[in-house]
Amino acid sequence: MGFVRETCALGEIAGRLGWDQETMMAPGSAPQRAEEMAAMESVLHARKMDSRVGEWLDALEGADVGEVEAAQLRLIRREFDRATKVPAKLASEIARVTSAAQGIWAEARAAENFADFAPTLEKVVALRREEADALAQGGDRYDALLQDYEPGTSAAEISTMFDNMRPRLVALRERILGSEFTPVALTRDFDIDAQMSLSNELAIGFGYDFTRGRLDKAVHPFSSGSGNDVRITTRTAAQDPFNCIYSTIHEVGHACYEQNISQDYLLTPLGRGVSMGVHESQSRIYENQIGRSAAYTSYLFAKMKDAFGDIGVADAEAFFATVNRVRSGYIRTEADEIHYNLHVMLRFDLEQQLISGALDVVDLPDAWNTRFESDFGVAVDKPSNGCLQDVHWSVGLFGYFPTYSLGNLYAGCLNEAMHAAEPGLDAEFAKGDTSRATAWLAQNVQQHGGRYTSADVITRACGKEPSEAPLLAYLEEKFGRIYNL
């Protein structure tokens, strides 16, 4: 395992380069960083497809090994098979182009000019199509890319899930928007430094270990790293403190997953989250089922008053409604729980079309704007509120978006099981104490890392196979209470 351990360590170093690029790096360093990322990818790709790895795997085929060792071999085999299908030159070029693309995307987003980014996105899409063809070997391109984020899942399975969720989500949205009740909106400015201070405090409250991580700002919040170096980012807006608070709690969910994986798996294929769907289940249950619950928001209401004084909301019950206010907004990361999955479905459909070739990059803004107005009833006013809002496509993450909704589904299942196993959690949330809930998640999900498949992790934790029913029931109960439905 020494060779594999070194490969995992090099992968963490590459991840740190990416973290630095999005948080600390000077803009003028981007071209050099692209070359550095390409060089690192060349080294990693060569190690993953090293013929010795294949020989070691063949020698161990059918060997009597323990469950953990078998899981390690399963993941090593998966990475080896993937690496041998993708030419080294292509892997390096993807790393180089996507590294440079991040800065180009950020500049185009700031300038509100999609045309500045379109040529680069065309390169990214073309490279990922080429990679998908190499991986699929005659099969479906998008399904091949999806395996990087949710192994064992197909676009058809996800489409079925979305088809089951969409009618009840749309019906619930219509009932909410037709309600006579309108939650109070925050209208004043909130000090940026105070937002960051409160976010640090909340991160600690949710179990984030700052001795093995740090919190910084980024254009698009993210979590990076594994094991004993797991870093998170957030963003601030003077008139929207929830952006900072809930971005932080969301990323803490990701980070705690990585920090709580068994130390026995450190720098091995098992030492990271099993899939992005399971990863999202942790970030979403921290952010929503815990962080936006009536109990926890009563605690947060008091913390907000301590930090900012009068925030213009009468009491804890009104604050609960304010935190969970439903409205048709442009930004996925700021969306309420009802609209969030509709944002994901839009991206899922469009990126399938981009990868298949049914949609050209030059036509993406019109396709996005048309679909958005149809789904949300609002016309997109500028590119940063439309197809330039997310970083994902600039860095080639095609197949990533549907895992957000899969994570919501898993979170619904886990929330139901957690409350059944640990009664009385709400009384603790009302005091800001999430320790028993997060300990349950660490024990039943996080510590396992990649030991089990994603579906097995959720099934083991919940005692039954995952379905959309618990999530939909949770949403209907919660928002029925808020909006008197």
Side-chain angles (χ1 to χ4, degrees):
M1 286 294 291
F3 183 89
V4 173
R5 188 179 181 86
E6 288 180 356
T7 302
C8 290
L10 289 169
E12 292 300 311
I13 294 170
R16 209 84 64 246
L17 287 173
W19 169 85
D20 176 73
Q21 179 169 333
E22 295 197 50
T23 56
M24 303 289 186
M25 189 185 78
S29 304
Q32 178 175 318
R33 180 54 50 87
E35 296 302 321
E36 294 167 355
M37 294 291 281
M40 283 296 298
E41 180 57 35
S42 293
V43 172
L44 285 166
H45 191 77
R47 293 181 69 90
K48 290 174 182 177
M49 63 178 293
D50 192 305
S51 60
R52 290 174 295 175
V53 176
E55 292 168 2
W56 295 330
L57 288 168
D58 290 343
L60 289 168
E61 189 72 34
D64 185 16
V65 298
E67 180 184 322
V68 172
E69 290 76 13
Q72 296 275 22
L73 292 171
R74 169 174 54 83
L75 296 185
I76 294 169
R77 168 66 72 179
R78 190 176 76 197
E79 282 208 339
F80 176 76
D81 289 344
R82 187 195 189 286
T84 55
K85 291 176 182 176
V86 178
K89 184 177 180 181
L90 175 59
S92 176
E93 182 66 1
I94 290 172
R96 186 187 66 80
V97 170
T98 55
S99 177
Q102 292 181 59
I104 297 169
W105 161 79
E107 290 176 1
R109 184 178 184 272
E112 300 291 355
N113 191 341
F114 179 79
D116 289 348
F117 178 55
T120 300
L121 183 57
E122 287 174 351
K123 292 178 184 177
V124 173
V125 171
L127 288 168
R128 288 294 269 162
R129 285 174 182 166
E130 186 178 350
E131 182 185 41
D133 287 336
L135 291 169
Q137 298 187 335
D140 184 81
R141 279 178 175 172
Y142 190 79
D143 281 351
L145 297 180
L146 187 59
Q147 302 315 301
D148 286 343
Y149 313 106
E150 199 65 26
T153 302
S154 69
E157 291 170 330
I158 292 173
S159 293
T160 298
M161 175 189 76
F162 284 174
D163 289 345
N164 291 337
M165 293 172 63
R166 188 182 181 90
R168 283 174 66 178
L169 285 174
V170 171
L172 180 57
R173 180 183 68 175
E174 294 308 308
R175 291 171 64 202
I176 291 170
L177 296 181
S179 169
E180 295 181 357
F181 175 69
T182 301
V184 174
L186 301 182
T187 57
R188 52 161 285 190
D189 283 355
F190 294 81
D191 181 75
I192 297 300
D193 291 338
Q195 289 186 40
M196 290 299 295
S197 178
L198 178 57
S199 290
N200 271 271
E201 184 179 349
L202 297 178
I204 294 170
F206 272 90
Y208 182 59
D209 182 357
F210 272 99
T211 69
R212 298 185 291 151
R214 54 183 292 138
L215 173 61
D216 295 279
K217 292 185 185 181
V219 174
H220 192 106
F222 69 98
S223 175
S224 173
S226 67
N228 296 326
D229 191 346
V230 185
R231 308 180 186 196
I232 58 175
T233 66
T234 191
R235 63 184 172 200
T236 55
Q239 291 192 328
D240 184 10
F242 295 151
N243 195 325
C244 179
I245 289 168
Y246 285 102
S247 290
T248 300
I249 295 174
H250 179 99
E251 300 308 333
V252 163
H254 283 303
C256 285
Y257 186 0
E258 294 293 336
Q259 288 185 335
N260 289 330
I261 293 172
S262 171
Q263 288 284 305
D264 292 341
Y265 305 154
L266 186 67
L267 295 178
T268 77
L270 299 188
R272 55 186 181 232
V274 64
S275 74
M276 287 314 305
V278 176
H279 239 301
E280 283 300 319
S281 77
Q282 302 308 284
S283 63
R284 297 300 280 178
I285 198 171
Y286 276 49
E287 176 190 356
N288 293 327
Q289 280 89 346
I290 300 174
R292 296 184 195 270
S293 67
Y296 189 82
T297 55
S298 68
Y299 163 77
L300 181 59
F301 178 59
K303 299 300 294 184
M304 290 280 288
K305 289 196 297 181
D306 289 344
F308 304 107
D310 181 11
I311 63 173
V313 181
D315 53 33
E317 186 68 20
F319 184 73
F320 171 53
T322 295
V323 168
N324 291 283
R325 191 162 64 105
V326 175
R327 61 197 185 282
S328 291
Y330 297 114
I331 307 300
R332 174 186 59 84
T333 57
E334 299 170 11
D336 56 75
E337 291 179 80
I338 305 302
H339 284 100
Y340 188 91
N341 292 303
L342 299 177
H343 281 277
V344 172
M345 292 173 191
L346 178 154
R347 290 155 173 79
F348 173 62
D349 289 343
L350 292 180
E351 71 177 13
Q352 285 187 87
Q353 295 173 39
L354 284 169
I355 293 301
S356 71
L359 176 64
D360 293 328
V361 167
V362 68
D363 297 321
L364 177 60
D366 286 343
W368 179 294
N369 295 350
T370 299
R371 170 69 179 269
F372 188 88
E373 187 166 8
S374 174
D375 282 5
F376 293 86
V378 179
V380 175
D381 59 347
K382 55 186 179 181
S384 64
N385 281 336
C387 63
L388 282 182
Q389 70 176 265
D390 297 297
V391 71
H392 301 60
W393 290 338
S394 73
V395 294
L397 298 182
F398 292 93
Y400 191 118
F401 275 122
T403 66
Y404 286 123
S405 284
L406 191 56
N408 281 334
L409 183 150
Y410 289 161
C413 298
L414 291 169
N415 184 59
E416 180 183 67
M418 180 178 70
H419 279 277
E422 302 287 342
L425 288 175
D426 282 347
E428 296 170 15
F429 294 165
K431 300 174 183 177
D433 183 1
T434 67
S435 59
R436 190 154 58 99
T438 54
W440 187 90
L441 291 166
Q443 177 69 27
N444 289 279
V445 178
Q446 296 167 5
Q447 67 161 328
H448 300 306
R451 181 172 179 175
Y452 307 109
T453 66
S454 56
D456 284 346
V457 169
I458 303 303
T459 300
R460 289 170 64 92
C462 300
K464 58 184 178 181
E465 293 184 357
S467 80
E468 67 275 359
L471 173 64
L472 293 171
Y474 151 79
L475 292 173
E476 289 167 348
E477 187 280 328
K478 177 178 181 176
F479 288 93
R481 168 184 168 177
I482 293 171
Y483 283 89
N484 303 313
L485 303 180

